[in-house]
Amino acid sequence: MSGQPNPRVGLFVTCLVDAIRPSIGFSAIQLLEEAGCRVEVPQAQTCCGQPALNSGDEKDAAALARQTIAAFEGFDYIVLPSGSCAGTIVHGYPDLLAKDPVWAPRARILAARTHEITSFLVDVMGFRPKGRRLSATATYHDSCAGLRELGIAAQPRALLAEVAGLEMRGLEGNDVCCGFGGTFCVKYSDISNAIVTEKAEAIERTEADLLLAGDLGCLMNMAGKLNRRGARTRCFHTIEVLAGRADGPAIGEEG
Amino acid sequence: MSAPEASVQVSFKNRAKTALADRTLKIAIDRTTGTAEAKRAVAVAAFPEFQAARARGRAIKDHVIAHLDHYLEQFERNATASGATVHWASDDAEARAIITRICLDAKAKLVTRSKSMLGEEIGLPHALADAGIERVETDLAEHIIQLAGEAPSHIVWPAMHRTREQVAELFKIAHHPPPSADDPATMVQSARRELRAKFLGADIGISGSNFLVADTGATCTVTNEGNAELTTTPPRIHIVTAGIEKIVPTTAHALSLLRLLVRSATGGELTQYTTFHCGPKRPGDADGPEEMHIVLVDNGRTRMLDNEFREMLRCIRCGACMNHCVVYRQIGGHAYGGTYPGPMGSVLTPVLNGLAGSRDLPNACTMNGRCAEVCPVEIPIPTLLRAWRIRSWREKLEPGSLRVGIGIWAVLARRPGLYGLASRVGVRALRLFGKGGWIARLPLAGGWTAHRDLPRPAGRTFMEQYRAQQAHKGSRP
Ligand code: SF4
C-alpha cells in the first residue's frame, strides 16, 4: 500500500473510452474518488500510441509516448481503465525511448507510477467497493495484455466478489485471446472472426447474463460478435459493474 | 533461399481463407493442439522446478550462443576424432550440394530419412528427388505426408492437419496390401510393414539432430517411434544435418534441455528413444554405419547473432508456441507458407525467405503473448514479431493505405486540441450509420462489420461530458 491516503491520480481515459463509451471513464473517476484519490483528467491526453507501435511506426509511437509522459509525469499515479494501454506505458515506453538520454529516465519513472485501474484499486489503495448489489450472473474474460504483461487476474475477481447478488461463472478458455489484437481484427478479419466466434460460443455456453472484461477493445469485439449472433449477453467493463452502473445501458444499448 | 519469395506474401490471406473454410482441418488441428495443450499443462504442473528449469535452459542456450564459435570448433575436433566427417554449409544450397555429393559418390539409390525440420528448411527432399535418389521417410507422420505429397504442417506432428480417417484412406490406396482395418494400431502395423524392407535396403540414412554435444562430438536424436535408430544404424552411411544453434557444451546440458523439450512438446517426461551417435562403427562394434557425416548448417543463423532476432536462436523446436497460438489453431501450419509455422515460424520465415515476401506473418498476430508464456526457453516472441513490424515499416513494405491512415491519425493524436475536435465530429458522424445501439455496416470498416456489429458511440465524447461537468461544478455557488 502507498501509505499516502489521498494521492493525486491522473486518469488516462484512453482513446476508445473517450470516443465510444464515456461511462467507463466516469466509473473510473467514481471508484478512484471512493478509494480516496484526488482525480484529474489532463486535457493533453489523446492515445497511448499503440496503433503506431503495433504497426511498427516507432517514430509516431515515440512522439505519443513523449506527449503522454509530459502530460502525466506530475501525478503521484497514472491510472487507466485498460490493461493493454497500461501495458504500453509500463513496458512499451521504456523500450521505445531506451536510447533517448532525456526521455528514457522519464519513461521509467512514469512506468513505475502507472497502473491498470482494478490492480491499482486493490494493490495500491487496498480498496473494496461497499454496498454494491446486482442480481445477475456474469462471466469474466481475462484480456491478454492485462493478464500477461501486468499479471492482472486476481484483482478484478476480488473486487467483483464484493458485489452482493452477483454470481460469477467460469468461462472456458478465459485466458485465451478473443481475436481483437487492435488493427489485427481489421487487417486479418477472417482469422479474427474465427477466433472471436469460438470465444462467443464459449461465452454463450456459460448462459451468464453479463460478460465482463477490463479492456474496451476486447469488449467491443466480443460484444459485437455476440450481438451479430443474436446472443442476449450484456457486456460491461468490470469497473462499470463495480461503480454500480450495470443498471444502465450495456455496450451497444442506447441510453 | 529455399522457398520462392513471392509465394508467401501474395497468398497468405488466401491460404488462410481456404484453411478457415476447411472444417475437417479444424477438427484435426483441435484434436492435436488440444491434446498437446492439456498434456503439457499436466506435465508442467507435475514438475515443481519447471520455472527454474526454464531459466536454466535459457541460460544454457544464451551461453552457447555467446560462445558459438568456441563450442562449434570443440565439437568439430571431437566429432572428427571419433571418426566422423564434419562439413560446413553456409546456406541451404551449399547444404544440399554437400549431401547430394555424398549420396552420388556412394552411388546411393535408396535413402531413408528420419524426421528433421532442418532437412525441410534446406529443401533436402526436392534435392534428393532431383538427383534421382529414392527417399523414404521413416517417421510415421512424415510417411503420411510423403504419401500425400505434402509439406509438414507442424514441427512436432508434421501430419497433424490430417485426421485419422483421412490417413486411413491414404493407406488404403498406398499400402500393399492395404491395412485390414482403420484403427490406429492396425494402421501403424501396416506402415511398419511397408517401411521395414526399406530400412534394411537403404544405402544411406539421413537424420537430423536435437543436440550436438561439444565435449564428446556426439549428435543426439530423440524420437518416440524408434525410426531414427533404424534409419541411422543399418545403412552403410549415416548423414546428420543440424543447424549450428543445436550445440550444447556437455551431455548434461543436452539432458537439461531435453527435460524442457519433451514436456513442452508432448507432455511426456522423456522421449521413448534418446540416442547419442558418436562416430561411425568401430572395430569390434556389432553394428553401425561405416561412414558418418555431419553437415552443420548456418543458413542465416550467424546473421541472427547480431541483429534483433538473436534470442530466436534459443529455440529448441518444441512446438508449444504453435499449440497455444489462437491464429495457428484457426489456420493450421500450411497457411503460413514457410518451413516453420506458427509463432516461431513467423519470426524465422522472414529470416529465411526475406521480409518482403513474408511481411504478413509478423503482422498476423494479436500480440496476446501466450506463446512467450509457454516457451520453455523464454523467447519473447511478440517482441521479435514487433521487431519485424518495425523493419517492415522502415523499409516501407507496409501497404500505402495503412501508412497514410496511421500518418493522419498520428498528426491528430499529436495535437490534443485538434484530436478532441476530430473525435467530437467523428463520433457524431459515426452515429449517423447506426440504428439503436449498433452499427451493422460502415464504409471503410468492412473488416470489422463483415463479421461483427460496432457499438454506436455515445452522443458526446468523454472529454466533452467531463468538461461540461467540471464547468457545472465550477459555476455552482
Ligand atoms: S519458440 Fe519456444 S515454444 Fe516455440 S518451438 Fe521454439 S522453443 Fe518451443
Side-chain angles (χ1 to χ4, degrees):
Chain A
M1 297 249 151
S2 67
Q4 219 183 336
N6 303 107
R8 239 180 106 233
V9 169
L11 177 67
F12 193 157
V13 287
T14 76
C15 58
L16 273 185
V17 167
D18 178 46
I20 305 287
R21 197 156 169 88
S23 146
I24 297 171
F26 290 109
S27 301
I29 295 177
Q30 182 191 324
L31 289 166
L32 289 168
E33 286 181 347
E34 280 179 27
C37 305
R38 291 168 290 152
V39 185
E40 288 173 43
V41 183
Q43 295 297 300
Q45 61 178 287
T46 60
C47 166
C48 68
Q50 256 189 94
L53 191 62
N54 281 341
S55 301
D57 174 7
E58 280 185 304
K59 209 167 128 257
D60 284 322
L64 281 165
R66 285 191 286 265
Q67 174 176 307
T68 305
I69 293 167
F72 283 93
E73 61 193 344
F75 292 93
D76 297 329
Y77 295 105
I78 149 168
V79 173
L80 304 90
S82 157
S84 150
C85 308
T88 297
I89 299 178
V90 171
H91 300 295
Y93 287 7
D95 281 356
L96 204 52
L97 300 170
K99 293 199 188 101
D100 185 325
V102 176
W103 287 92
R106 292 169 73 176
R108 282 196 298 272
I109 292 168
L110 191 77
R113 295 182 189 165
T114 298
H115 300 270
E116 180 276 340
I117 184 156
T118 60
S119 58
F120 178 74
L121 290 171
V122 172
D123 301 339
V124 180
M125 298 306 293
F127 170 79
R128 293 290 185 282
K130 292 214 178 56
R132 297 285 190 271
R133 163 162 286 284
L134 178 68
S135 189
T137 54
T139 193
Y140 178 80
H141 164 77
D142 289 270
S143 286
C144 301
L147 178 68
R148 301 203 176 83
E149 291 174 26
L150 304 172
I152 293 159
Q155 303 93 331
R157 291 178 170 88
L159 292 168
L160 288 167
E162 301 290 323
V163 180
L166 184 65
E167 180 201 322
M168 295 302 295
R169 294 194 177 163
L171 176 65
E172 204 186 311
N174 60 287
D175 62 346
V176 175
C177 176
C178 73
F180 173 61
T183 51
F184 169 85
C185 72
V186 286
K187 283 199 228 161
Y188 300 93
S189 83
D190 296 331
I191 302 174
S192 172
N193 177 47
I195 301 170
V196 73
T197 300
E198 276 185 28
K199 178 60 75 178
E201 287 166 356
I203 295 165
E204 289 166 23
R205 278 198 297 276
T206 67
E207 294 183 0
D209 305 322
L210 311 178
L211 168 71
L212 309 179
D215 257 283
L216 182 56
C218 316
L219 276 164
M220 284 167 63
N221 182 40
M222 294 183 286
K225 189 70 206 176
L226 287 163
N227 192 61
R228 183 63 63 92
R229 291 166 59 87
R232 288 279 159 77
T233 324
R234 303 177 71 223
C235 304
F236 287 97
H237 192 291
T238 309
I239 64 170
E240 292 179 293
V241 168
L242 296 174
R245 287 171 171 254
D247 49 0
I251 292 171
E253 290 174 4
E254 280 288 68
Chain B
M1 293 191 192
S2 59
E5 294 213 347
S7 73
V8 181
Q9 178 176 27
V10 174
S11 51
F12 170 77
K13 283 188 182 175
N14 284 337
R15 280 196 305 267
K17 206 168 192 151
T18 311
L20 289 169
D22 185 344
R23 298 326 288 170
T24 314
L25 172 65
K26 179 66 176 143
I27 292 169
I29 296 170
D30 280 345
R31 278 185 193 162
T32 304
T33 58
T35 309
E37 181 183 356
K39 286 192 173 168
R40 175 197 171 272
V42 172
V44 168
F47 183 20
E49 309 85 359
F50 184 71
Q51 281 314 324
R54 242 181 131 199
R56 174 157 168 77
R58 173 190 181 149
I60 292 171
K61 284 303 238 177
D62 280 342
H63 171 81
V64 167
I65 293 162
H67 303 96
L68 202 53
D69 47 351
H70 166 79
Y71 286 114
L72 283 168
E73 281 167 21
Q74 188 188 5
F75 174 80
E76 182 184 31
R77 270 198 312 279
N78 291 326
T80 308
S82 75
T85 310
V86 177
H87 308 259
W88 300 88
S90 61
D91 61 12
D92 54 339
E94 233 176 271
R96 290 194 298 270
I98 292 167
I99 297 161
T100 33
R101 191 169 3 89
I102 298 169
C103 293
L104 295 175
D105 286 351
K107 301 201 169 42
K109 298 216 166 45
L110 176 63
V111 165
T112 47
R113 192 169 155 252
S114 73
K115 178 180 166 299
S116 143
M117 286 309 297
L118 184 88
E120 303 292 328
E121 177 189 320
I122 60 175
L124 190 54
H126 285 296
L128 293 173
D130 291 348
I133 297 161
E134 185 188 353
R135 165 183 61 100
V136 173
E137 296 293 340
T138 63
D139 174 87
L140 180 60
E142 290 282 349
H143 172 61
I144 293 166
I145 60 172
Q146 184 174 26
L147 292 180
E150 292 173 327
S153 63
H154 189 287
I155 62 172
V156 175
W157 299 283
M160 64 90 79
H161 57 284
R162 293 195 157 248
T163 60
R164 190 173 62 240
E165 296 79 359
Q166 289 175 317
V167 173
E169 288 305 310
L170 204 61
F171 280 10
K172 244 181 239 160
I173 300 164
H175 285 181
H176 306 288
S180 55
D182 61 7
D183 60 291
T186 313
M187 291 204 288
V188 169
Q189 270 313 322
S190 177
R192 214 176 248 169
R193 200 180 44 238
E194 287 282 316
L195 292 172
R196 195 51 64 125
K198 306 282 187 186
F199 279 131
L200 300 175
D203 305 298
I204 295 182
I206 304 181
S207 72
S209 176
N210 297 87
F211 307 105
L212 304 167
V213 185
D215 76 338
T216 62
T219 68
C220 173
T221 310
V222 301
T223 72
N224 286 316
E225 297 171 14
N227 63 301
E229 289 63 33
L230 282 169
T231 304
T232 56
T233 313
R236 202 162 52 72
I237 298 174
H238 173 200
I239 303 175
V240 181
T241 60
I244 52 174
E245 87 287 6
K246 288 275 185 272
I247 199 97
V248 290
T250 70
T251 308
H253 295 109
L255 295 178
S256 290
L257 292 170
L258 186 58
R259 300 208 298 176
L260 290 168
L261 171 61
V262 185
R263 283 174 173 84
S264 303
T266 63
E269 289 187 353
L270 192 63
T271 29
Q272 305 294 328
Y273 298 87
T274 303
T275 303
F276 291 84
H277 301 272
C278 198
K281 181 177 179 173
R282 269 165 291 226
D285 281 357
D287 52 23
E290 286 158 30
E291 284 176 36
M292 180 176 180
H293 296 269
I294 302 167
V295 185
L296 299 177
V297 182
D298 181 339
N299 206 26
R301 287 163 175 77
T302 46
R303 248 185 298 137
M304 289 164 74
L305 282 175
D306 34 48
N307 66 22
E308 310 93 292
F309 308 103
R310 180 181 171 106
E311 292 189 89
M312 199 61 215
L313 290 169
R314 286 206 295 270
C315 177
I316 54 174
R317 307 287 194 261
C318 73
C321 54
M322 53 200 79
N323 297 335
H324 291 78
C325 171
V326 281
V327 173
Y328 181 91
R329 285 173 79 148
Q330 294 298 340
I331 65 175
H334 288 153
Y336 288 82
T339 300
Y340 301 99
M344 55 82 81
S346 296
V347 178
L348 283 175
T349 302
V351 174
L352 296 168
N353 297 359
L355 180 60
S358 55
R359 57 152 287 277
D360 266 314
L361 301 181
N363 278 296
C365 164
T366 67
M367 301 299 225
N368 66 75
R370 213 156 171 243
C371 50
E373 186 179 62
V374 297
C375 176
V377 283
E378 299 178 338
I379 299 175
I381 300 174
T383 306
L384 304 186
L385 293 175
R386 181 172 283 128
W388 275 127
R389 294 182 185 187
I390 290 169
R391 280 203 187 195
S392 184
W393 188 271
R394 255 192 232 141
E395 293 169 24
K396 300 202 171 18
L397 298 173
E398 292 302 299
S401 54
L402 179 74
R403 301 184 64 84
V404 171
I406 292 277
I408 294 172
W409 164 85
V411 164
L412 293 173
R414 291 170 65 172
R415 290 164 184 77
L418 203 56
Y419 182 87
L421 177 66
S423 302
R424 293 196 292 276
V425 173
V427 298
R428 283 167 177 81
L430 209 51
R431 282 183 64 78
L432 301 177
F433 290 93
K435 267 209 305 280
W438 296 98
I439 299 167
R441 222 177 305 138
L442 186 66
L444 300 178
W448 183 282
T449 54
H451 302 297
R452 18 173 148 48
D453 297 323
L454 184 70
R456 204 164 158 221
R460 293 184 306 155
T461 66
F462 171 85
M463 284 300 190
E464 273 182 283
Q465 297 185 35
Y466 176 77
R467 271 198 298 269
Q469 254 188 21
Q470 293 300 101
H472 182 69
K473 267 190 207 163
S475 71
R476 268 185 312 201

